[in-house]
Amino acid sequence: MPASPSTARALNDRLALRLLQQEGPLTAGQLKQLTGLSRPTVADLVDRLTASGLITVVGESGEQRRGPNARLYGIVADRAHLAALDVRTEGVFVLVSDLLGRVLAEASVPIGPDAGTGPAVDQAVAAVESAAKEAAAMAAPPREGVRGWGTLHTVGIGAPGLIDPATGDLRDSAGLPAWHRSLAVTLQDRLPGARVTVENETNLAALAEQREGAARDRDTFVLLWLGHGVGAAVVLDGTLRRGASGGTGEIGFLPVPGTAALPSATDCTGGFHSLTGAAAVTSLAAECGLPTPATPDGPGAAEAVRGAVAEVEKAGEGVPVPATGPRAAVPVARPGEGEVKRRGGTDVTAGAEPDAATASASGEAGPAARASGIDPGRGSASESESESASESVSAGTGPVARGTVARPGSGAASVPATAPGRPGCGAPPQAGPGGAPPAALPGDLPAARFLRILADRIAVGAASVVAVLDPGCVVLGGEVGQAGGAVLAGLVEERLRRMSPLVTEVRASSLGGTAVLRGALLTARDRAQDELFAPPDRMGG
C-alpha cells in the first residue's frame, strides 16, 4: 500500500535531516543525489525544513555556477539543547550540548554520603539548571516565530542499577542512594518542557563505545565495565539487550572462584565485584607494593593500573600481548622462558608439574590439588589450601549494586600479604611440593605481577560471558579498562585464549569514564531528533 502524501513528506524530511546530520552541510543538488528524490521534491522539503527552523543556509559551495543549488544547508544546532547526566554514588556530572552534540556547558557537584534525599536532589537539579542557563547564553539569537529556540529539550540520565523495561524507571536497588530514584521525577517537575529518560550507566557506555569508541566496527560485543564497580553490557546484532527485568549484565553478582563467600540477592560481595571492583584493585596494588591512591574509587584504581602499565613498559618487562586487534606492539615474554602461570602470578619454568589451578582447567588434579583435597570438578579449593595472590581478594562490605562499591571506611577488608598460607603479590616465592621455591622470571617487577593477577581475575568473569554469548569481542571499559590499555587487554585476551575455544578479541576502551556521559548525550540527541524531525505539524513551528 503506497504511503499517503503527508507520510511521504515526513519520511523525505527525516531522510534529508539525517543526511545533514551525518554529512554536514549539503547543497540541494547533493541532497537530490543522495536521496534519489526529484528536484521539485527536494526544493519543497528544503522550504519546509527552513520554515520550521530546523535548517538554514550556512554558506555556499565551491561550484562555479552560482544559484539555488550552490547554497549550503545545515541543521540549526541551537534549535534545541540537550543535557546528559552521569549519576554516581558520590555526585553528578552534567553537560549540555546543542542538537549536533557540540558541548556548550559542563558542571559537576559532589554529594556526600550523609546528604539527605531532598538536599541531594536539589544540588543535582541546580547543576543542570546552571549548565542549561550557561548554554542558553551561548546560543545564537532566537529565530522569530519558532518556539522553544535554545531551550532544554531532552535530558538523558545514566545511573547505576536496574531500569524497569516496562516503565523506564530506575528500580529501587540495595546499596544505591535514595536520591537517585527521585532525581528523574524532580527534573521532570522542574523542567516541564523537557523529556527526561533514564538508562543504566553501563548500557550507555556500550552505546558510546559502539558509535564513537572501541567497538565502532562491531555489531556484536560485550562491554565489561571496570571502574568504581563492575558491570557488563551486551550488544547483539547491533541491538542493546536488557533482559526480562532489565538486569542483563549484572556481572558483579556472578559467583566466581577466589572469593570467601557467595553473593546474595542484595549484596554482590563474594561475586565478581569482589575480584575486580575498585576497592579490590587498589588493595591488590597495595599487596604488590605499588603506590596506591587514598580513595579506592574508579579514578583511584585507574591511577594504580596506569602507573603499573607505565612501569612495565618503561622496564620492557615480559608481558605477553597477542598481536591481534588494533593495538600497539609491546614487549612479549622473552624467548626460552616458556612459563606455566600460577593463579597467584608466580611463574614456574615450563615442564614443571601443573598446579591446582592449571590442572583444574585441564581436568587433571595436580599434586597441589591432591595434597589439599581440591575437587577438580568443582574447581575450588578448601579453606586450608595455600592460596595464591590472585585469590587474595579485597571484598567490600554491605550491599553493593553494579557501578558502586562500599564507601571508604565501610568496606574493602583486604587479606594482608603476610597472612599465613596466603602470600601477597610481592611476597617471596613459597616452597613447592618438592621443598624448593619455584623459579620466577628474571627481573619480574611487582607491577608486572599486579597486572597479571588482575588479568587473571578479569578473565574469570569474561570467560563466563564468552562461554554463554560468544560475542567475538570484549571491550574493557570504565576508568580501569581504559587505564590498562593494550597491555591489560592483551593479558586478558591471552588468558581467554587458554580458557575458551571461542576466539575472542579483547580491546581497551577508548572513552573510559567519559563513556557514560557520551552515551547519555547520544541517546538524548536521538530522542530529540526523532521528535524534532517529525512531520511539520508536530515541530512546533
Side-chain angles (χ1 to χ4, degrees), residues 491-504:
L491 286 168
V492 174
E493 181 176 315
E494 186 266 343
R495 280 147 178 77
L496 285 179
R497 186 176 298 171
R498 287 187 285 150
M499 296 169 68
S500 172
L502 306 177
V503 177
T504 305

Side-chain angles (χ1 to χ4, degrees), residues 299-361:
E303 180 184 340
V305 172
R306 192 177 296 109
V309 170
E311 186 176 347
V312 164
E313 291 180 331
K314 181 179 179 181
E317 183 68 22
V319 177
V321 178
T324 60
R327 291 195 294 270
V330 297
V332 298
R334 290 178 283 274
E337 293 179 348
E339 57 184 17
V340 177
K341 306 295 293 183
R342 292 187 182 274
R343 295 178 70 189
T346 302
D347 307 303
V348 298
T349 55
E353 283 192 281
D355 65 4
T358 306
S360 175

Side-chain angles (χ1 to χ4, degrees), residues 214-310:
R216 280 175 291 182
D217 62 336
R218 291 279 183 171
D219 61 0
T220 294
F221 70 98
V222 168
L223 173 78
L224 192 60
W225 180 270
L226 302 169
H228 202 56
V230 298
V234 177
V235 177
L236 302 178
D237 300 323
T239 302
L240 180 69
R241 305 296 181 177
R242 294 177 173 83
S245 62
T248 295
E250 285 291 338
I251 198 172
F253 286 87
L254 179 71
V256 292
T259 60
L262 290 174
S264 69
T266 58
D267 185 354
C268 62
T269 298
F272 185 58
H273 167 86
S274 293
L275 289 182
T276 54
V281 173
T282 53
S283 180
L284 175 63
E287 292 169 8
C288 289
L290 302 180
T292 54
T295 305
D297 57 5
E303 180 184 340
V305 172
R306 192 177 296 109
V309 170

Side-chain angles (χ1 to χ4, degrees), residues 8 42 71 78 106 115 123 128 188 210 224 232 482:
V42 170
R71 294 176 181 173
D78 285 321
E106 298 179 80
Q123 291 179 64
V128 176
Q188 191 66 80
Q210 183 184 30
L224 192 60
Q482 184 185 43

Side-chain angles (χ1 to χ4, degrees), residues 153-166:
H153 183 282
T154 305
V155 179
I157 302 174
L162 299 177
I163 307 299
D164 190 318

